Amino acid sequence: QIQRALRSLSIPLERLHIMKGHMIEDVCKGLSRQTHAQAKVRMLPTYICSTPNGTEKGNFLVVELCQNQVRTMLVTLYGDGNLSPQMMYKIFDLPEGITHGEGEALFDFIAQCVSQFLAETLSTDTSQSEERLPLGFVFPFTCRQTQLDKAELISWSKGFSCSGVVGKDVVQMLQAAINKRQGGPSGTEGGWLSSWSRKSSQAAPSQPCRVEVVALMNDTVGTLMTCSTEGRPCEVAIVADKGSNCCFMAEAFLVETAEETSGRMCVNTEWGCFGDDGTLNDIFTLYDKSVDEESSNPGEKRFEKLVGSLYLGEIVRHALITLTAEKAVFTDTNISVLKEKGVFTMQHILEIINNEDSMTVTKKVLEDLGLQPSERDCGRVQQICRAVMGRAATLHATGLAAILSYMCQTREMETLMVNVAVEGELYTGYPRFEEILLSVSRLLSPECMATFLPSRDGSGRGAAMVTAVALRLAAQRREVNEVLAPLRLSHADLEKVQALMKEEMERGLCKETNASASVRMLPTYVTHTPDGTERGDFLALDLGGTNFRVLVVHVTEQGISMASEIYVIPVAVMQGTGKGLFDHIIDCIMDFQVKQNLVTEKLPLGFTFSFPCQQVGLDKALLLTWTKGFSASGCVGEDVVQLLRDAAQRKQHLGMQVVALVNDTVGTMMACGYDDPKCEIGLIVGTGTNACYMEEMKNVGTVEGDEGRMCINMEWGAFGDNGCLDHLFTHFDRVVDETTINPGKQRFEKLISGMYLGEIVRQILMVMTEKQLLFQGKPIPKLQTPNIFQTKFLSTIELNGLALRQIRAILNELELDASFEDSVLMREVCQAVSLRAAQLCAAGLAAVVEKMRENRGLDQLSVTVGVDGTLYKLHPRFSQNLQETLKKLAPKCDVSFMLSEDGSGKGAALVAAVASRTA
C-alpha cells in the first residue's frame, strides 16, 4: 500500500512533458483575444513594460495586503543603480473579522495604516518635503488590470471575502479611502499630512503632501521587480507559497488583451487554475480529490491545490487517513485527531523532512498531535511527506519549463539565458526545492538556462521599484512627447498643406505666375492615356545615371511582353563631348536591335531622360543642366531629342523614330494606365518624390489650346521652396536641409522621400540621447556619423510584430548598443517620421484629386493613382498611412492605388504607343 501511495505521488517524465505542452497551449489561449475568455490560465496583462535601470530616485511608499497583515514600507532610492535603497517598515495586524466584512472597512483600515506609518516615519525627518508621495499597492488577488493604476477584482481567495469589492476598481477604492483621511479629493489643508509637511520643511510653509496610488501589482510581480534591482534584469518570477503563481516578461504584441504592442509586458499567468478543465485529472490522487472536495472552491485552482503550501499538509493528512484504513500505518493507535481539517500543516512537514535526526523529530511531531507512532509509522510518514513535497517542487519545475520554452520560442532564440526570481515558504523552507526546480526544468527545457535569484524584502521592495519605474517612464514619456510633438500633424495642419499645394498648383499653371511658383507644373505634351487598343513593337530608352537601359515592348491583344539590356556609360563619355555621349547611346541601341532581330523595322521610341528639362513639345525638350556626375559639353540649352536624332543620322541608323521624351513619373502613370483606364495620376515616392496628373487644357496657361487634357509634371518636390511650408519645418528638418548639397531647395521632398528620412531619425536620436532619454544618456560616437541610418532600417524596424531582439540586432549592426527600452523608443521615432511623410504626401495628393474633381464638376471622383518608389513599395506602413489620410482629406474622391511595374521603361514605350495611335 505504501509503494502504491508513493507511486501515485510521483509523475513519470513523459507525463511531465505532456503537462508542459498543455501549459504552453493554455498560455497561448490566455494571451489570445479570441480564446482568452475560455482560458483557465488567465495570462493577465500587468501594464508593467520595463524593469529598473538603476537611475530611479526618490521616496516611494508601499502597502502590501497579506494573509493577516498590512505591511507598510517607505523606500528611498538614490539613482545609484539601486544598490543601497533605504527602507523603513511597519507591520499592522488585520483586525478580527475584517476579511469577511465590508470592503470599504478594509480599505479604510489600510488607509489608516498608511496614515499612522507616515506620521511616525516622516515627522522626524526634516529633510524630506514633497508635494506628492507615490504609492505602490501589492494586492495578491486575481484582478483584471487595464492600466498600471486601474484594476478590477475578479475574485477573492486566501480566505478573504469582503463585500462590495468584486468587479470594482481596487486602486480607486484605496485612493478614495486615503483621500478621505487627507480631507477629500479636493482636500483641505488640514489633513494628517499637512502637519507633517509643515514640520518637515524649515523654509516657507509647503503644500500638504498627497499620497497618490500610481501602481497596483500582485505579489508575484513584486517579487520579479525586487530581484530586478540586483544589476541584472530578471524576467520570470515564481511565488511558491500558500498559493502558487508565476509571471514573466512576454513580447507585448503577443499580449492581445492589452493595447500595448511595443516592447515587452509582464504577464501574470495565474497558473493556479491550470488543470481546471480536467487536463490534470490523471495525476489527481484520491488524497487530492478529498482535499479539493473539502476546500471552499471545489473544482477550481486545481494546480494550486497540488503545489500550494496551504494544501500540502492536507494532502499528507488524507494520505495518512487512507493508509490507516488500509492498515499500512498507525495500526495500534487512534487517529481520530487526523479527521480534523487543518490539523497537519506545512510547518509539520518541514520539521519532519528537514531535520538530520528526523526519526526523533517525526516521533515528537506526531506525538504532539496526539498520535502514538511506531518507528515504522515514523519512517512511512517521512516517505509520504517527502513524496508530497517532491511532487510540488516537480510540478513547479514543469510550469517553469513551459514558460521558459514559450519565451525561447516567441523570441526566436536557440537558447535562452534568464534570471528567475523565487519567493515563498516552499522555496525558503524546503532545501531541495531549488535543486528539483533546476534539474527538472533543465530536463524538460534543455534549451533554457535559468539562474535562480532569491527574493529579498518580499515583494515590497519590488512594488517600490514598479512605482519608481512608472514615474521614471511617465517623466520620460512627457519629454519624448515634447521632442516628437513638432512632427505630429493635426488634421487642420494637413488641410492647410492641401490648401497651400492647391494654391501653388494654380500659380504654376498660370502663365503670369509660373516663373515664381514653387510647384513648376510643367506641361508634358502627353494628351492621352492608353485605352487598350495600342498594338505593335516599341522601343524605350531609359537614361538616368551611369547605366542606361534599352527595351523593346511588344503590345498585343494578349498583353505586354518586354526584353531589355543594360549598358554602361564610361566616365570619359559622361564627361566628354555631347556628340561622343549620344553616339555611344546610338551604338548601344543598334547593338540591342541586332540582338533582338529588329534591324529591318523603324520602331517608335519613347525616351525617359531623368535630367532637368524644359519641355516644349512631346518630342522636344531643352536640357537645363546636367546632374548625377554628367558634364558632356555642347548639350545644355539644346534639344536632347534632336541630339539623339543627329547621332542616329551620323551613324546612318534608320531603325528608330524618337516620338516622345518622357519623365519617369509620367511613365509610371502610363504603365498603370494600360491595365486600368482610370489611372490618370502618377506618383513616385522613393529616393525622391514627384507627381503628375491629367489637367484640363483650358487651365494650362503655359500652352496654347483649350481642347482636351494634358499630363502635367508637377515637380512637387520643390513645393515650399518659397517659404510657405516653413511653419512645418522642425529643428531636425532644418539641420538635415543645411547639410544637403542644395540647402533651401526641394523642401517638400526633404520631408517625404527616402533619401532624407533616415537622417531626420538620426538627428532626433541625437537630441534624445542628449536629453538622456536614450542609451541612458551615454555618448554614442557612431550616432555622429551622417547617413548611418538608411531608410531601409526604418522599414525593417517598423515591421509589425518584429521582435525587439531583431530590432536590437539591427541596431547592433549599426554599433548602437540599445536596451529593449531604447529599441521601443527608436521604433516610435521611426514611426513618427514615416507617418508624417505619408501624411504630407497624402495632403499633396488630396489637392490633386480635389482639383481634378472640381475641374470636371463631379460630386464624386473615381480615379486610380499609378505608384512607384521603394518607400511606398517596401515600407510596411507608408502606403496604408497615405491611403487612410487621403480618405480623410478628400472624402469625395474614391482613389485606388496601383503599383507600377517599370514606369521609366514600359511606361516610356507606352507613351510612344499612345503617340503613334493618336497620330
Side-chain angles (χ1 to χ4, degrees), residues 372-442:
Q372 292 167 332
S374 65
E375 195 164 318
R376 189 185 72 158
D377 292 338
C378 291
R380 290 185 170 181
V381 169
Q382 281 175 4
Q383 282 179 294
I384 295 293
C385 287
R386 285 200 186 96
V388 168
M389 289 294 277
R391 183 182 70 161
T394 300
L395 291 174
H396 271 106
T398 308
L400 174 63
I403 297 299
L404 296 179
S405 285
Y406 174 80
M407 288 170 74
C408 193
Q409 286 162 23
T410 53
R411 294 180 184 188
E412 297 174 14
M413 297 172 88
E414 284 176 24
T415 54
L416 175 76
M417 294 185 74
V418 69
N419 291 329
V420 179
V422 198
E423 189 188 24
E425 198 175 3
L426 228 66
Y427 177 66
T428 52
Y430 178 36
R432 286 205 60 220
F433 184 85
E434 184 173 336
E435 177 196 323
I436 295 171
L437 202 56
L438 186 62
S439 60
V440 175
S441 64
R442 280 309 302 275

Side-chain angles (χ1 to χ4, degrees), residues 218-336:
N218 70 3
D219 48 348
T220 319
V221 177
T223 298
L224 176 93
M225 296 298 266
T226 296
C227 291
S228 288
T229 63
E230 308 296 317
R232 297 185 295 175
C234 182
E235 296 194 86
V236 185
I238 291 178
V239 169
D241 206 62
K242 291 185 169 56
S244 171
N245 198 8
C246 170
C247 68
F248 69 99
M249 298 302 283
E251 300 297 311
F253 72 92
L254 296 171
V255 188
E256 292 180 9
T257 48
E259 292 305 307
E260 185 60 53
T261 56
S262 280
R264 292 189 177 148
M265 182 183 285
C266 179
V267 176
N268 166 24
T269 64
E270 290 294 341
W271 74 9
C273 298
F274 175 56
D276 287 6
D277 57 358
T279 47
L280 296 177
N281 285 358
D282 60 323
I283 63 168
F284 243 62
T285 64
L286 289 171
Y287 331 128
D288 300 314
K289 285 177 188 146
S290 303
V291 171
D292 183 37
E293 282 157 16
E294 283 182 12
S295 70
S296 59
N297 54 350
E300 292 175 18
K301 297 230 167 189
R302 300 192 75 187
F303 183 68
E304 190 165 283
K305 285 171 187 166
L306 295 173
V307 301
S309 65
L310 191 64
Y311 304 99
L312 300 185
E314 282 297 283
I315 297 170
V316 171
R317 181 175 74 85
H318 278 286
L320 296 180
I321 290 170
T322 305
L323 289 167
T324 305
E326 291 171 347
K327 302 205 168 358
V329 289
F330 302 127
T331 45
D332 305 324
T333 181
N334 178 0
I335 62 143
S336 55

Side-chain angles (χ1 to χ4, degrees), residues 114 258 270 399 466 776 879:
V114 171
E270 290 294 341
V466 172
Q776 293 194 23
S879 58

Side-chain angles (χ1 to χ4, degrees), residues 8 307 394 550 724 792 874:
S8 74
V307 301
T394 300
V550 185
C724 67
K792 69 171 183 184
L874 302 181

Side-chain angles (χ1 to χ4, degrees), residues 753-813:
S753 76
M755 192 167 181
Y756 306 99
L757 299 189
E759 266 303 274
I760 297 171
V761 166
R762 187 178 72 87
Q763 293 299 332
I764 297 170
L765 298 183
M766 278 166 37
V767 167
M768 285 191 165
T769 307
E770 239 171 76
K771 290 180 176 286
Q772 305 207 328
L773 299 171
L774 272 176
F775 309 117
Q776 293 194 23
K778 293 180 201 130
I780 306 286
K782 191 77 185 190
L783 259 189
Q784 309 297 324
T785 315
N787 303 311
I788 170 192
F789 228 90
Q790 293 166 18
T791 301
K792 69 171 183 184
F793 287 122
L794 268 77
S795 294
T796 316
I797 283 174
E798 284 190 59
L799 276 173
N800 228 353
L802 184 71
L804 281 179
R805 186 183 58 78
Q806 290 159 296
I807 294 180
R808 279 181 81 178
I810 294 167
L811 298 171
N812 288 340
E813 206 182 300

